[in-house]
Amino acid sequence: SDTDLKIPFHDYQKMGRELIINSPYCGLFLDCGLGKTLITLAALYDLNPSGHILIVAPKTIARSTWQKEIDKWRIPIRTRSLIVNEHGKDLTRKKRLERYAEVATDPPTMYFINRELLSDLIDHMPKNSQGRSVWYFPIVVLDEAQSFKSHTSVRFKKLAWVRPAIRRLVELTGTPTPRSLMDLWAELFLLDQGQRLGPNIATYRRTFFSEGIHVNNFPVTWNLLPGAENEIYRRIKDIVFSIKNPALILPPVTYNELTVVMDDTEKQLYQTLLKETVLVLEKHHDGQA
């Protein structure tokens, strides 16, 4: 409980923890800074699972954020990274494959992996007689779950392949629909296998959208039907918890678009920032970044 961990939870955090405990497949769609990681850790502590937990996150978050919270609150759980070694260095290919193989015999552990390596992990799990991957992680947490918004992406397809073997799935994100509500179908499918928003993207589109702009006779934009947004929210509200940060009072957004020219090095850094959402800048000897 929160008393055991000595965590001073807000009421909404207690509500989020209860959702995870009571709903095996659910999402915390909470703004940045509202404590999604801690809420999830507290719920898992209360559940005290007997099997492995897999945390899938952007590399920087998977490498440090979760472990820091575990250490800060002294949560008694065994952890192991499938990204870096004990000294924080990236695992070699050989060492990573060795760790994959050790999962089957390790005691209950919270493993960390970045989303780019998830497909690799699934590919290297042993196969059963039906050709399906033997899945050793009954609990999976998708941190920044909007990374799985594309129903055509390899990571979505691979995770959907092992989804029947997952007994508890938690999705964490502050931006579940980065572009539009069209992004929501894949994330919800991983939670409920199509029960609420339809068994496939085509059904979802037909139910809630009308075709917009066409290119070569193919729709490239979709428009929400009247009342569709409220109906989508109604259908998912039992397994998704979302509030706006009550502590933040912000002025209206002002967009100021600027065009810049970047050299190859700057472009590479920018792509890293887009991919990881965090960019570490090395400091020069004079202290300047």
Side-chain angles (χ1 to χ4, degrees), residues 200-236:
N200 51 58
I201 189 68
T203 300
Y204 180 57
R205 287 170 175 164
R206 286 196 306 268
T207 305
F208 299 107
F209 298 84
S210 63
E211 296 180 2
I213 299 172
H214 284 66
V215 175
N216 296 326
N217 296 319
F218 186 81
V220 295
T221 64
W222 298 84
N223 303 314
L224 273 169
L225 293 172
E229 183 173 6
N230 288 338
E231 176 61 14
I232 290 170
Y233 294 152
R234 185 193 68 79
R235 291 192 184 192
I236 70 174

PDB file of all heavy atoms in Angstrom, residues 200-236:
ATOM      1  N   ASN A 200     -10.600  -4.047 -36.207  1.00  0.00           N
ATOM      2  CA  ASN A 200      -9.562  -3.623 -37.146  1.00  0.00           C
ATOM      3  C   ASN A 200      -9.729  -2.134 -37.430  1.00  0.00           C
ATOM      4  O   ASN A 200     -10.767  -1.534 -37.110  1.00  0.00           O
ATOM      5  CB  ASN A 200      -9.606  -4.453 -38.431  1.00  0.00           C
ATOM      6  CG  ASN A 200     -11.004  -4.492 -39.021  1.00  0.00           C
ATOM      7  OD1 ASN A 200     -11.594  -3.458 -39.325  1.00  0.00           O
ATOM      8  ND2 ASN A 200     -11.551  -5.707 -39.164  1.00  0.00           N
ATOM      9  N   ILE A 201      -8.713  -1.555 -38.046  1.00  0.00           N
ATOM     10  CA  ILE A 201      -8.726  -0.112 -38.305  1.00  0.00           C
ATOM     11  C   ILE A 201      -9.833   0.259 -39.285  1.00  0.00           C
ATOM     12  O   ILE A 201     -10.420   1.352 -39.198  1.00  0.00           O
ATOM     13  CB  ILE A 201      -7.342   0.356 -38.829  1.00  0.00           C
ATOM     14  CG1 ILE A 201      -7.266   1.883 -38.899  1.00  0.00           C
ATOM     15  CG2 ILE A 201      -7.028  -0.281 -40.163  1.00  0.00           C
ATOM     16  CD1 ILE A 201      -7.282   2.574 -37.563  1.00  0.00           C
ATOM     17  N   ALA A 202     -10.177  -0.632 -40.209  1.00  0.00           N
ATOM     18  CA  ALA A 202     -11.219  -0.332 -41.188  1.00  0.00           C
ATOM     19  C   ALA A 202     -12.576  -0.152 -40.503  1.00  0.00           C
ATOM     20  O   ALA A 202     -13.335   0.773 -40.829  1.00  0.00           O
ATOM     21  CB  ALA A 202     -11.293  -1.444 -42.233  1.00  0.00           C
ATOM     22  N   THR A 203     -12.866  -1.023 -39.548  1.00  0.00           N
ATOM     23  CA  THR A 203     -14.118  -0.898 -38.798  1.00  0.00           C
ATOM     24  C   THR A 203     -14.150   0.392 -38.001  1.00  0.00           C
ATOM     25  O   THR A 203     -15.178   1.087 -37.953  1.00  0.00           O
ATOM     26  CB  THR A 203     -14.290  -2.110 -37.862  1.00  0.00           C
ATOM     27  OG1 THR A 203     -14.319  -3.311 -38.626  1.00  0.00           O
ATOM     28  CG2 THR A 203     -15.581  -1.992 -37.054  1.00  0.00           C
ATOM     29  N   TYR A 204     -13.036   0.723 -37.385  1.00  0.00           N
ATOM     30  CA  TYR A 204     -12.934   1.961 -36.601  1.00  0.00           C
ATOM     31  C   TYR A 204     -13.199   3.169 -37.490  1.00  0.00           C
ATOM     32  O   TYR A 204     -13.968   4.084 -37.125  1.00  0.00           O
ATOM     33  CB  TYR A 204     -11.540   2.027 -35.976  1.00  0.00           C
ATOM     34  CG  TYR A 204     -11.279   3.252 -35.118  1.00  0.00           C
ATOM     35  CD1 TYR A 204     -12.092   3.558 -34.036  1.00  0.00           C
ATOM     36  CD2 TYR A 204     -10.185   4.078 -35.381  1.00  0.00           C
ATOM     37  CE1 TYR A 204     -11.833   4.667 -33.231  1.00  0.00           C
ATOM     38  CE2 TYR A 204      -9.918   5.184 -34.588  1.00  0.00           C
ATOM     39  CZ  TYR A 204     -10.744   5.466 -33.523  1.00  0.00           C
ATOM     40  OH  TYR A 204     -10.481   6.569 -32.730  1.00  0.00           O
ATOM     41  N   ARG A 205     -12.602   3.177 -38.672  1.00  0.00           N
ATOM     42  CA  ARG A 205     -12.798   4.296 -39.587  1.00  0.00           C
ATOM     43  C   ARG A 205     -14.254   4.406 -40.036  1.00  0.00           C
ATOM     44  O   ARG A 205     -14.836   5.494 -40.061  1.00  0.00           O
ATOM     45  CB  ARG A 205     -11.881   4.141 -40.804  1.00  0.00           C
ATOM     46  CG  ARG A 205     -10.417   4.422 -40.520  1.00  0.00           C
ATOM     47  CD  ARG A 205      -9.553   4.023 -41.696  1.00  0.00           C
ATOM     48  NE  ARG A 205      -8.158   4.404 -41.487  1.00  0.00           N
ATOM     49  CZ  ARG A 205      -7.139   3.916 -42.194  1.00  0.00           C
ATOM     50  NH1 ARG A 205      -7.368   3.034 -43.162  1.00  0.00           N
ATOM     51  NH2 ARG A 205      -5.912   4.320 -41.947  1.00  0.00           N
ATOM     52  N   ARG A 206     -14.845   3.275 -40.400  1.00  0.00           N
ATOM     53  CA  ARG A 206     -16.228   3.301 -40.871  1.00  0.00           C
ATOM     54  C   ARG A 206     -17.192   3.762 -39.781  1.00  0.00           C
ATOM     55  O   ARG A 206     -18.191   4.431 -40.067  1.00  0.00           O
ATOM     56  CB  ARG A 206     -16.651   1.902 -41.355  1.00  0.00           C
ATOM     57  CG  ARG A 206     -16.056   1.484 -42.677  1.00  0.00           C
ATOM     58  CD  ARG A 206     -16.825   0.302 -43.249  1.00  0.00           C
ATOM     59  NE  ARG A 206     -16.900  -0.812 -42.297  1.00  0.00           N
ATOM     60  CZ  ARG A 206     -16.026  -1.809 -42.248  1.00  0.00           C
ATOM     61  NH1 ARG A 206     -14.987  -1.818 -43.079  1.00  0.00           N
ATOM     62  NH2 ARG A 206     -16.173  -2.791 -41.386  1.00  0.00           N
ATOM     63  N   THR A 207     -16.887   3.421 -38.545  1.00  0.00           N
ATOM     64  CA  THR A 207     -17.790   3.716 -37.438  1.00  0.00           C
ATOM     65  C   THR A 207     -17.737   5.177 -37.015  1.00  0.00           C
ATOM     66  O   THR A 207     -18.774   5.773 -36.703  1.00  0.00           O
ATOM     67  CB  THR A 207     -17.459   2.826 -36.223  1.00  0.00           C
ATOM     68  OG1 THR A 207     -17.483   1.453 -36.613  1.00  0.00           O
ATOM     69  CG2 THR A 207     -18.453   3.053 -35.089  1.00  0.00           C
ATOM     70  N   PHE A 208     -16.555   5.767 -37.035  1.00  0.00           N
ATOM     71  CA  PHE A 208     -16.391   7.077 -36.411  1.00  0.00           C
ATOM     72  C   PHE A 208     -15.924   8.193 -37.351  1.00  0.00           C
ATOM     73  O   PHE A 208     -15.880   9.352 -36.947  1.00  0.00           O
ATOM     74  CB  PHE A 208     -15.394   6.973 -35.243  1.00  0.00           C
ATOM     75  CG  PHE A 208     -15.832   6.040 -34.162  1.00  0.00           C
ATOM     76  CD1 PHE A 208     -15.216   4.816 -33.993  1.00  0.00           C
ATOM     77  CD2 PHE A 208     -16.860   6.389 -33.310  1.00  0.00           C
ATOM     78  CE1 PHE A 208     -15.614   3.939 -32.985  1.00  0.00           C
ATOM     79  CE2 PHE A 208     -17.271   5.535 -32.296  1.00  0.00           C
ATOM     80  CZ  PHE A 208     -16.650   4.308 -32.138  1.00  0.00           C
ATOM     81  N   PHE A 209     -15.567   7.869 -38.599  1.00  0.00           N
ATOM     82  CA  PHE A 209     -14.977   8.873 -39.477  1.00  0.00           C
ATOM     83  C   PHE A 209     -15.628   8.853 -40.863  1.00  0.00           C
ATOM     84  O   PHE A 209     -16.203   7.858 -41.289  1.00  0.00           O
ATOM     85  CB  PHE A 209     -13.467   8.632 -39.648  1.00  0.00           C
ATOM     86  CG  PHE A 209     -12.679   8.718 -38.368  1.00  0.00           C
ATOM     87  CD1 PHE A 209     -12.581   7.613 -37.523  1.00  0.00           C
ATOM     88  CD2 PHE A 209     -12.027   9.886 -38.008  1.00  0.00           C
ATOM     89  CE1 PHE A 209     -11.851   7.681 -36.339  1.00  0.00           C
ATOM     90  CE2 PHE A 209     -11.295   9.964 -36.841  1.00  0.00           C
ATOM     91  CZ  PHE A 209     -11.211   8.868 -36.005  1.00  0.00           C
ATOM     92  N   SER A 210     -15.492   9.960 -41.549  1.00  0.00           N
ATOM     93  CA  SER A 210     -15.833  10.022 -42.970  1.00  0.00           C
ATOM     94  C   SER A 210     -14.565  10.359 -43.744  1.00  0.00           C
ATOM     95  O   SER A 210     -13.638  10.979 -43.207  1.00  0.00           O
ATOM     96  CB  SER A 210     -16.907  11.084 -43.230  1.00  0.00           C
ATOM     97  OG  SER A 210     -16.432  12.377 -42.886  1.00  0.00           O
ATOM     98  N   GLU A 211     -14.524   9.965 -45.007  1.00  0.00           N
ATOM     99  CA  GLU A 211     -13.327  10.190 -45.808  1.00  0.00           C
ATOM    100  C   GLU A 211     -13.169  11.675 -46.111  1.00  0.00           C
ATOM    101  O   GLU A 211     -14.135  12.377 -46.378  1.00  0.00           O
ATOM    102  CB  GLU A 211     -13.406   9.395 -47.104  1.00  0.00           C
ATOM    103  CG  GLU A 211     -13.414   7.887 -46.874  1.00  0.00           C
ATOM    104  CD  GLU A 211     -13.482   7.116 -48.169  1.00  0.00           C
ATOM    105  OE1 GLU A 211     -13.486   7.761 -49.245  1.00  0.00           O
ATOM    106  OE2 GLU A 211     -13.540   5.868 -48.125  1.00  0.00           O
ATOM    107  N   GLY A 212     -11.923  12.133 -46.083  1.00  0.00           N
ATOM    108  CA  GLY A 212     -11.625  13.523 -46.379  1.00  0.00           C
ATOM    109  C   GLY A 212     -10.953  13.655 -47.730  1.00  0.00           C
ATOM    110  O   GLY A 212     -11.488  13.238 -48.758  1.00  0.00           O
ATOM    111  N   ILE A 213      -9.745  14.179 -47.741  1.00  0.00           N
ATOM    112  CA  ILE A 213      -9.007  14.391 -48.983  1.00  0.00           C
ATOM    113  C   ILE A 213      -8.555  13.055 -49.576  1.00  0.00           C
ATOM    114  O   ILE A 213      -8.098  12.167 -48.864  1.00  0.00           O
ATOM    115  CB  ILE A 213      -7.778  15.293 -48.725  1.00  0.00           C
ATOM    116  CG1 ILE A 213      -8.233  16.663 -48.204  1.00  0.00           C
ATOM    117  CG2 ILE A 213      -6.931  15.449 -49.980  1.00  0.00           C
ATOM    118  CD1 ILE A 213      -7.098  17.547 -47.742  1.00  0.00           C
ATOM    119  N   HIS A 214      -8.687  12.932 -50.906  1.00  0.00           N
ATOM    120  CA  HIS A 214      -8.252  11.732 -51.615  1.00  0.00           C
ATOM    121  C   HIS A 214      -7.025  12.042 -52.473  1.00  0.00           C
ATOM    122  O   HIS A 214      -6.924  13.123 -53.056  1.00  0.00           O
ATOM    123  CB  HIS A 214      -9.361  11.198 -52.531  1.00  0.00           C
ATOM    124  CG  HIS A 214     -10.453  10.485 -51.794  1.00  0.00           C
ATOM    125  ND1 HIS A 214     -11.289  11.131 -50.912  1.00  0.00           N
ATOM    126  CD2 HIS A 214     -10.831   9.173 -51.815  1.00  0.00           C
ATOM    127  CE1 HIS A 214     -12.154  10.253 -50.420  1.00  0.00           C
ATOM    128  NE2 HIS A 214     -11.901   9.061 -50.944  1.00  0.00           N
ATOM    129  N   VAL A 215      -6.122  11.108 -52.548  1.00  0.00           N
ATOM    130  CA  VAL A 215      -4.982  11.164 -53.459  1.00  0.00           C
ATOM    131  C   VAL A 215      -4.946   9.842 -54.214  1.00  0.00           C
ATOM    132  O   VAL A 215      -4.898   8.774 -53.596  1.00  0.00           O
ATOM    133  CB  VAL A 215      -3.657  11.389 -52.695  1.00  0.00           C
ATOM    134  CG1 VAL A 215      -2.468  11.323 -53.664  1.00  0.00           C
ATOM    135  CG2 VAL A 215      -3.665  12.720 -51.954  1.00  0.00           C
ATOM    136  N   ASN A 216      -5.001   9.924 -55.539  1.00  0.00           N
ATOM    137  CA  ASN A 216      -5.054   8.723 -56.372  1.00  0.00           C
ATOM    138  C   ASN A 216      -6.214   7.813 -55.952  1.00  0.00           C
ATOM    139  O   ASN A 216      -6.062   6.583 -55.841  1.00  0.00           O
ATOM    140  CB  ASN A 216      -3.721   7.965 -56.313  1.00  0.00           C
ATOM    141  CG  ASN A 216      -2.575   8.759 -56.885  1.00  0.00           C
ATOM    142  OD1 ASN A 216      -2.743   9.525 -57.837  1.00  0.00           O
ATOM    143  ND2 ASN A 216      -1.386   8.590 -56.306  1.00  0.00           N
ATOM    144  N   ASN A 217      -7.351   8.448 -55.711  1.00  0.00           N
ATOM    145  CA  ASN A 217      -8.571   7.741 -55.325  1.00  0.00           C
ATOM    146  C   ASN A 217      -8.469   7.019 -53.983  1.00  0.00           C
ATOM    147  O   ASN A 217      -9.267   6.112 -53.698  1.00  0.00           O
ATOM    148  CB  ASN A 217      -8.985   6.730 -56.409  1.00  0.00           C
ATOM    149  CG  ASN A 217      -9.356   7.416 -57.707  1.00  0.00           C
ATOM    150  OD1 ASN A 217     -10.009   8.459 -57.703  1.00  0.00           O
ATOM    151  ND2 ASN A 217      -8.930   6.830 -58.821  1.00  0.00           N
ATOM    152  N   PHE A 218      -7.497   7.420 -53.171  1.00  0.00           N
ATOM    153  CA  PHE A 218      -7.327   6.799 -51.853  1.00  0.00           C
ATOM    154  C   PHE A 218      -7.425   7.882 -50.779  1.00  0.00           C
ATOM    155  O   PHE A 218      -6.757   8.920 -50.882  1.00  0.00           O
ATOM    156  CB  PHE A 218      -5.973   6.093 -51.769  1.00  0.00           C
ATOM    157  CG  PHE A 218      -5.794   5.307 -50.501  1.00  0.00           C
ATOM    158  CD1 PHE A 218      -6.333   4.038 -50.364  1.00  0.00           C
ATOM    159  CD2 PHE A 218      -5.084   5.847 -49.432  1.00  0.00           C
ATOM    160  CE1 PHE A 218      -6.172   3.304 -49.186  1.00  0.00           C
ATOM    161  CE2 PHE A 218      -4.916   5.138 -48.250  1.00  0.00           C
ATOM    162  CZ  PHE A 218      -5.472   3.852 -48.138  1.00  0.00           C
ATOM    163  N   PRO A 219      -8.265   7.691 -49.741  1.00  0.00           N
ATOM    164  CA  PRO A 219      -8.401   8.721 -48.702  1.00  0.00           C
ATOM    165  C   PRO A 219      -7.117   8.856 -47.881  1.00  0.00           C
ATOM    166  O   PRO A 219      -6.574   7.864 -47.403  1.00  0.00           O
ATOM    167  CB  PRO A 219      -9.556   8.206 -47.841  1.00  0.00           C
ATOM    168  CG  PRO A 219      -9.578   6.724 -48.063  1.00  0.00           C
ATOM    169  CD  PRO A 219      -9.134   6.526 -49.481  1.00  0.00           C
ATOM    170  N   VAL A 220      -6.646  10.073 -47.736  1.00  0.00           N
ATOM    171  CA  VAL A 220      -5.443  10.331 -46.941  1.00  0.00           C
ATOM    172  C   VAL A 220      -5.759  11.146 -45.692  1.00  0.00           C
ATOM    173  O   VAL A 220      -4.902  11.302 -44.821  1.00  0.00           O
ATOM    174  CB  VAL A 220      -4.364  11.055 -47.779  1.00  0.00           C
ATOM    175  CG1 VAL A 220      -3.875  10.149 -48.900  1.00  0.00           C
ATOM    176  CG2 VAL A 220      -4.903  12.363 -48.349  1.00  0.00           C
ATOM    177  N   THR A 221      -6.974  11.670 -45.604  1.00  0.00           N
ATOM    178  CA  THR A 221      -7.409  12.338 -44.383  1.00  0.00           C
ATOM    179  C   THR A 221      -8.807  11.826 -44.019  1.00  0.00           C
ATOM    180  O   THR A 221      -9.562  11.361 -44.885  1.00  0.00           O
ATOM    181  CB  THR A 221      -7.459  13.870 -44.534  1.00  0.00           C
ATOM    182  OG1 THR A 221      -8.443  14.224 -45.518  1.00  0.00           O
ATOM    183  CG2 THR A 221      -6.096  14.422 -44.929  1.00  0.00           C
ATOM    184  N   TRP A 222      -9.118  11.927 -42.722  1.00  0.00           N
ATOM    185  CA  TRP A 222     -10.396  11.434 -42.223  1.00  0.00           C
ATOM    186  C   TRP A 222     -10.997  12.485 -41.293  1.00  0.00           C
ATOM    187  O   TRP A 222     -10.280  13.131 -40.522  1.00  0.00           O
ATOM    188  CB  TRP A 222     -10.199  10.117 -41.476  1.00  0.00           C
ATOM    189  CG  TRP A 222      -9.658   9.024 -42.340  1.00  0.00           C
ATOM    190  CD1 TRP A 222      -8.350   8.786 -42.646  1.00  0.00           C
ATOM    191  CD2 TRP A 222     -10.423   8.028 -43.027  1.00  0.00           C
ATOM    192  NE1 TRP A 222      -8.230   7.707 -43.477  1.00  0.00           N
ATOM    193  CE2 TRP A 222      -9.499   7.208 -43.724  1.00  0.00           C
ATOM    194  CE3 TRP A 222     -11.780   7.742 -43.102  1.00  0.00           C
ATOM    195  CZ2 TRP A 222      -9.904   6.137 -44.497  1.00  0.00           C
ATOM    196  CZ3 TRP A 222     -12.191   6.658 -43.875  1.00  0.00           C
ATOM    197  CH2 TRP A 222     -11.251   5.868 -44.564  1.00  0.00           C
ATOM    198  N   ASN A 223     -12.306  12.617 -41.363  1.00  0.00           N
ATOM    199  CA  ASN A 223     -13.005  13.596 -40.533  1.00  0.00           C
ATOM    200  C   ASN A 223     -13.922  12.882 -39.545  1.00  0.00           C
ATOM    201  O   ASN A 223     -14.636  11.934 -39.908  1.00  0.00           O
ATOM    202  CB  ASN A 223     -13.849  14.526 -41.410  1.00  0.00           C
ATOM    203  CG  ASN A 223     -13.012  15.237 -42.464  1.00  0.00           C
ATOM    204  OD1 ASN A 223     -11.943  15.768 -42.168  1.00  0.00           O
ATOM    205  ND2 ASN A 223     -13.489  15.236 -43.706  1.00  0.00           N
ATOM    206  N   LEU A 224     -13.900  13.342 -38.300  1.00  0.00           N
ATOM    207  CA  LEU A 224     -14.764  12.754 -37.284  1.00  0.00           C
ATOM    208  C   LEU A 224     -16.231  12.994 -37.626  1.00  0.00           C
ATOM    209  O   LEU A 224     -16.617  14.093 -38.019  1.00  0.00           O
ATOM    210  CB  LEU A 224     -14.466  13.371 -35.917  1.00  0.00           C
ATOM    211  CG  LEU A 224     -13.355  12.739 -35.069  1.00  0.00           C
ATOM    212  CD1 LEU A 224     -13.030  13.635 -33.896  1.00  0.00           C
ATOM    213  CD2 LEU A 224     -13.768  11.356 -34.580  1.00  0.00           C
ATOM    214  N   LEU A 225     -17.033  11.972 -37.471  1.00  0.00           N
ATOM    215  CA  LEU A 225     -18.470  12.119 -37.650  1.00  0.00           C
ATOM    216  C   LEU A 225     -19.070  12.872 -36.460  1.00  0.00           C
ATOM    217  O   LEU A 225     -18.483  12.877 -35.370  1.00  0.00           O
ATOM    218  CB  LEU A 225     -19.124  10.741 -37.767  1.00  0.00           C
ATOM    219  CG  LEU A 225     -18.772   9.923 -39.012  1.00  0.00           C
ATOM    220  CD1 LEU A 225     -19.328   8.504 -38.892  1.00  0.00           C
ATOM    221  CD2 LEU A 225     -19.317  10.603 -40.270  1.00  0.00           C
ATOM    222  N   PRO A 226     -20.212  13.500 -36.623  1.00  0.00           N
ATOM    223  CA  PRO A 226     -20.849  14.197 -35.502  1.00  0.00           C
ATOM    224  C   PRO A 226     -21.100  13.243 -34.330  1.00  0.00           C
ATOM    225  O   PRO A 226     -21.629  12.146 -34.510  1.00  0.00           O
ATOM    226  CB  PRO A 226     -22.175  14.684 -36.108  1.00  0.00           C
ATOM    227  CG  PRO A 226     -21.902  14.803 -37.576  1.00  0.00           C
ATOM    228  CD  PRO A 226     -20.959  13.687 -37.888  1.00  0.00           C
ATOM    229  N   GLY A 227     -20.683  13.667 -33.142  1.00  0.00           N
ATOM    230  CA  GLY A 227     -20.874  12.856 -31.945  1.00  0.00           C
ATOM    231  C   GLY A 227     -19.874  11.743 -31.756  1.00  0.00           C
ATOM    232  O   GLY A 227     -19.881  11.055 -30.718  1.00  0.00           O
ATOM    233  N   ALA A 228     -18.977  11.539 -32.733  1.00  0.00           N
ATOM    234  CA  ALA A 228     -18.040  10.411 -32.663  1.00  0.00           C
ATOM    235  C   ALA A 228     -17.047  10.549 -31.514  1.00  0.00           C
ATOM    236  O   ALA A 228     -16.734   9.568 -30.834  1.00  0.00           O
ATOM    237  CB  ALA A 228     -17.297  10.274 -33.987  1.00  0.00           C
ATOM    238  N   GLU A 229     -16.553  11.762 -31.301  1.00  0.00           N
ATOM    239  CA  GLU A 229     -15.549  11.947 -30.254  1.00  0.00           C
ATOM    240  C   GLU A 229     -16.098  11.540 -28.888  1.00  0.00           C
ATOM    241  O   GLU A 229     -15.453  10.788 -28.146  1.00  0.00           O
ATOM    242  CB  GLU A 229     -15.080  13.405 -30.227  1.00  0.00           C
ATOM    243  CG  GLU A 229     -13.988  13.660 -29.204  1.00  0.00           C
ATOM    244  CD  GLU A 229     -13.417  15.062 -29.302  1.00  0.00           C
ATOM    245  OE1 GLU A 229     -13.954  15.875 -30.094  1.00  0.00           O
ATOM    246  OE2 GLU A 229     -12.435  15.354 -28.589  1.00  0.00           O
ATOM    247  N   ASN A 230     -17.272  12.006 -28.544  1.00  0.00           N
ATOM    248  CA  ASN A 230     -17.866  11.655 -27.252  1.00  0.00           C
ATOM    249  C   ASN A 230     -18.138  10.161 -27.149  1.00  0.00           C
ATOM    250  O   ASN A 230     -17.981   9.561 -26.082  1.00  0.00           O
ATOM    251  CB  ASN A 230     -19.158  12.442 -27.028  1.00  0.00           C
ATOM    252  CG  ASN A 230     -18.902  13.910 -26.738  1.00  0.00           C
ATOM    253  OD1 ASN A 230     -17.816  14.286 -26.302  1.00  0.00           O
ATOM    254  ND2 ASN A 230     -19.892  14.749 -26.998  1.00  0.00           N
ATOM    255  N   GLU A 231     -18.551   9.552 -28.262  1.00  0.00           N
ATOM    256  CA  GLU A 231     -18.829   8.118 -28.249  1.00  0.00           C
ATOM    257  C   GLU A 231     -17.548   7.314 -28.049  1.00  0.00           C
ATOM    258  O   GLU A 231     -17.537   6.304 -27.320  1.00  0.00           O
ATOM    259  CB  GLU A 231     -19.513   7.699 -29.544  1.00  0.00           C
ATOM    260  CG  GLU A 231     -19.768   6.197 -29.680  1.00  0.00           C
ATOM    261  CD  GLU A 231     -20.679   5.620 -28.602  1.00  0.00           C
ATOM    262  OE1 GLU A 231     -21.352   6.412 -27.888  1.00  0.00           O
ATOM    263  OE2 GLU A 231     -20.716   4.384 -28.464  1.00  0.00           O
ATOM    264  N   ILE A 232     -16.453   7.741 -28.666  1.00  0.00           N
ATOM    265  CA  ILE A 232     -15.166   7.066 -28.467  1.00  0.00           C
ATOM    266  C   ILE A 232     -14.762   7.138 -27.003  1.00  0.00           C
ATOM    267  O   ILE A 232     -14.380   6.127 -26.392  1.00  0.00           O
ATOM    268  CB  ILE A 232     -14.083   7.699 -29.361  1.00  0.00           C
ATOM    269  CG1 ILE A 232     -14.345   7.349 -30.831  1.00  0.00           C
ATOM    270  CG2 ILE A 232     -12.688   7.208 -28.945  1.00  0.00           C
ATOM    271  CD1 ILE A 232     -13.466   8.120 -31.800  1.00  0.00           C
ATOM    272  N   TYR A 233     -14.849   8.327 -26.414  1.00  0.00           N
ATOM    273  CA  TYR A 233     -14.485   8.481 -25.006  1.00  0.00           C
ATOM    274  C   TYR A 233     -15.383   7.647 -24.108  1.00  0.00           C
ATOM    275  O   TYR A 233     -14.932   7.071 -23.107  1.00  0.00           O
ATOM    276  CB  TYR A 233     -14.562   9.952 -24.605  1.00  0.00           C
ATOM    277  CG  TYR A 233     -13.535  10.842 -25.289  1.00  0.00           C
ATOM    278  CD1 TYR A 233     -13.787  12.197 -25.506  1.00  0.00           C
ATOM    279  CD2 TYR A 233     -12.324  10.321 -25.728  1.00  0.00           C
ATOM    280  CE1 TYR A 233     -12.862  13.009 -26.132  1.00  0.00           C
ATOM    281  CE2 TYR A 233     -11.395  11.120 -26.359  1.00  0.00           C
ATOM    282  CZ  TYR A 233     -11.663  12.470 -26.559  1.00  0.00           C
ATOM    283  OH  TYR A 233     -10.736  13.264 -27.187  1.00  0.00           O
ATOM    284  N   ARG A 234     -16.665   7.581 -24.448  1.00  0.00           N
ATOM    285  CA  ARG A 234     -17.597   6.793 -23.631  1.00  0.00           C
ATOM    286  C   ARG A 234     -17.207   5.317 -23.645  1.00  0.00           C
ATOM    287  O   ARG A 234     -17.254   4.641 -22.611  1.00  0.00           O
ATOM    288  CB  ARG A 234     -19.020   6.961 -24.164  1.00  0.00           C
ATOM    289  CG  ARG A 234     -20.092   6.287 -23.306  1.00  0.00           C
ATOM    290  CD  ARG A 234     -21.427   6.217 -24.019  1.00  0.00           C
ATOM    291  NE  ARG A 234     -21.404   5.304 -25.153  1.00  0.00           N
ATOM    292  CZ  ARG A 234     -21.495   3.975 -25.044  1.00  0.00           C
ATOM    293  NH1 ARG A 234     -21.587   3.406 -23.847  1.00  0.00           N
ATOM    294  NH2 ARG A 234     -21.477   3.222 -26.128  1.00  0.00           N
ATOM    295  N   ARG A 235     -16.816   4.844 -24.809  1.00  0.00           N
ATOM    296  CA  ARG A 235     -16.494   3.418 -24.938  1.00  0.00           C
ATOM    297  C   ARG A 235     -15.234   3.015 -24.178  1.00  0.00           C
ATOM    298  O   ARG A 235     -15.108   1.866 -23.760  1.00  0.00           O
ATOM    299  CB  ARG A 235     -16.344   3.050 -26.415  1.00  0.00           C
ATOM    300  CG  ARG A 235     -17.644   3.100 -27.204  1.00  0.00           C
ATOM    301  CD  ARG A 235     -17.472   2.445 -28.557  1.00  0.00           C
ATOM    302  NE  ARG A 235     -18.662   2.555 -29.384  1.00  0.00           N
ATOM    303  CZ  ARG A 235     -18.857   1.875 -30.510  1.00  0.00           C
ATOM    304  NH1 ARG A 235     -17.906   1.031 -30.939  1.00  0.00           N
ATOM    305  NH2 ARG A 235     -19.961   2.037 -31.220  1.00  0.00           N
ATOM    306  N   ILE A 236     -14.297   3.922 -24.022  1.00  0.00           N
ATOM    307  CA  ILE A 236     -13.012   3.543 -23.429  1.00  0.00           C
ATOM    308  C   ILE A 236     -12.852   3.996 -21.981  1.00  0.00           C
ATOM    309  O   ILE A 236     -11.847   3.675 -21.345  1.00  0.00           O
ATOM    310  CB  ILE A 236     -11.837   4.101 -24.264  1.00  0.00           C
ATOM    311  CG1 ILE A 236     -11.738   5.629 -24.137  1.00  0.00           C
ATOM    312  CG2 ILE A 236     -11.947   3.664 -25.713  1.00  0.00           C
ATOM    313  CD1 ILE A 236     -10.517   6.221 -24.823  1.00  0.00           C
TER     314      ILE A 236
END
